[in-house]
């Protein structure tokens, strides 16, 4: 008999996990996602990617404004789920929900915990020039991303890989890891490992000042920032009083006259700008 699952998720990253649960014939009692939000220039209400996926499979969709409300907690409790699966949902779960399912609340996180706890692990791994990252499944705790770990899967990050490209790789890895985790929990063959808090690093929400290019930094750091913020929200600088978004770059050897933030050369395939160490070609 398959586990009875309540699935919580919102963005595109969570969709493969939901699709894997469907294809593996898990009983999905409900899909919980964020309320419809205004989007685009017309500010029309838009469904989350998870809601679109759930409707495609004719799954019940719940969209509470706040999951801490007693009425919603009672609604979940009435389903008596064996496990709650949470993938980038967007709200903290209260302890009463964490304690509800017999197999607990299992989260899929896009880093090799305890590294890059927080809201933007993929962005920061690329921005910081990491060469390896991955996904971790864990039991959720009342403090974000601190729960006991279950399974991990790792992958390399190439020097020119963007956050968007890495995101698309990790979301598929996360879905496979989720199925392996649920199977292990049900079989009693999986062990839990406490995180080493002393080794933890953090991936906070991106701020506007994070997105601004500092041309005094080395070319590799500028390159990592650009690819780490591509395709969203985008690294930027100012040029002639206007905001210039930069999406793709490559570090190049130093060119005479390449002072930080100044154009050193114009090539057929891009503009070469000086940095604090070396130059960067804006492609």
């Amino acid at each position: 008999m398959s586990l009875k699952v309540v699935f919580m998720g919102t963005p595109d990253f969570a969709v493969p996990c939901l699709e894997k649960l469907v294809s593996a014939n898990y009983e999905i009692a409900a899909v919980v996602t964020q309320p419809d939000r205004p989007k685009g220039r017309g500010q029309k209400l838009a469904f989350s990617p998870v809601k679109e996926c759930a409707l495609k499979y004719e799954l019940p969709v719940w969209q509470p404004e706040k999951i801490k409300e007693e009425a919603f907690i009672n609604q979940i409790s009435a389903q008596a789920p064996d496990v709650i699966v949470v993938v980038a949902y967007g709200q903290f779960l209260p302890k009463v929900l964490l304690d509800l399912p017999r197999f607990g609340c299992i989260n899929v996180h896009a880093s090799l915990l305890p590294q890059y706890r927080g809201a933007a692990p993929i962005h920061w791994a690329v921005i910081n020039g990491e060469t390896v990252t991955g996904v971790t499944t864990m039991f959720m705790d009342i403090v974000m991303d601190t729960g006991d770990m279950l399974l991990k899967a790792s992958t390399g990050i190439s020097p020119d890989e963007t956050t968007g490209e890495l995101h698309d790789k990790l979301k598929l890895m996360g879905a496979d890891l989720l199925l392996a985790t649920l199977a292990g929990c049900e079989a009693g063959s999986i062990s839990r490992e406490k995180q080493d808090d002393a080794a933890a690093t953090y991936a906070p929400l991106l701020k506007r000042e994070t997105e601004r290019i500092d041309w005094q930094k080395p070319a590799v750091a500028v390159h990592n920032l650009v690819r780490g913020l591509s395709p969203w929200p985008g690294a930027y600088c100012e040029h002639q009083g206007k905001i210039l978004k930069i999406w793709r770059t490559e570090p190049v050897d130093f060119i005479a006259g390449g002072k930080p933030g100044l154009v050193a050369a114009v090539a057929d395939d891009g503009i070469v700008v000086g940095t604090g160490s070396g130059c960067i070609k804006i492609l």
Side-chain angles (χ1 to χ4, degrees), residues 105-139:
C105 296
I106 293 176
N107 177 244
V108 179
H109 185 73
S111 79
L112 298 174
L113 291 169
Q115 294 187 2
Y116 295 106
R117 295 173 176 174
I122 304 176
H123 289 89
W124 283 107
V126 178
I127 291 170
N128 290 339
E130 301 286 0
T131 58
V132 176
T133 189
V135 286
T136 304
T137 52
M138 65 174 173
F139 286 122

Side-chain angles (χ1 to χ4, degrees), residues 213-233:
I213 295 172
D214 180 358
W215 296 107
Q216 299 292 336
K217 290 187 174 181
V220 170
V222 174
H223 175 62
N224 289 343
L225 181 71
V226 169
R227 66 192 183 95
L229 298 176
S230 175
W232 180 89

Side-chain angles (χ1 to χ4, degrees), residues 73-252:
I73 292 172
N74 291 338
Q75 191 177 7
I76 291 269
S77 299
Q79 295 298 320
D82 295 308
V83 63
I84 295 177
V85 172
V86 183
V87 188
Y89 171 56
Q91 291 189 46
F92 287 105
L93 272 64
K95 191 173 188 305
V96 64
L97 283 183
L98 295 178
D99 295 340
L100 177 65
R102 66 186 179 106
F103 285 111
C105 296
I106 293 176
N107 177 244
V108 179
H109 185 73
S111 79
L112 298 174
L113 291 169
Q115 294 187 2
Y116 295 106
R117 295 173 176 174
I122 304 176
H123 289 89
W124 283 107
V126 178
I127 291 170
N128 290 339
E130 301 286 0
T131 58
V132 176
T133 189
V135 286
T136 304
T137 52
M138 65 174 173
F139 286 122
M140 296 179 69
D141 204 346
I142 55 173
V143 179
M144 183 172 64
D145 300 335
T146 60
D148 290 353
M149 300 177 293
L150 296 168
L151 295 179
K152 291 184 179 182
S154 62
T155 184
I157 307 175
S158 69
D160 294 315
E161 194 166 9
T162 66
T163 283
E165 291 162 347
L166 182 58
H167 167 280
D168 289 350
K169 186 163 62 175
L170 292 178
K171 71 180 183 180
L172 299 179
M173 290 174 57
D176 289 333
L177 198 68
L178 172 63
L179 287 194
T181 300
L182 293 178
C185 287
E186 197 169 11
S189 61
I190 200 167
S191 59
R192 52 199 298 165
E193 177 187 356
K194 288 194 174 298
Q195 295 190 41
D196 180 1
D197 292 339
T201 58
Y202 294 90
L205 284 169
L206 299 171
K207 298 180 179 179
R208 183 63 171 166
E209 54 262 34
T210 307
E211 301 159 20
R212 187 185 182 101
I213 295 172
D214 180 358
W215 296 107
Q216 299 292 336
K217 290 187 174 181
V220 170
V222 174
H223 175 62
N224 289 343
L225 181 71
V226 169
R227 66 192 183 95
L229 298 176
S230 175
W232 180 89
Y236 78 94
C237 63
E238 292 185 5
H239 178 66
Q240 296 182 352
K242 294 183 178 180
I243 296 295
L244 183 68
K245 289 266 191 174
I246 298 176
W247 302 107
R248 183 80 66 168
T249 58
E250 67 178 26
V252 295

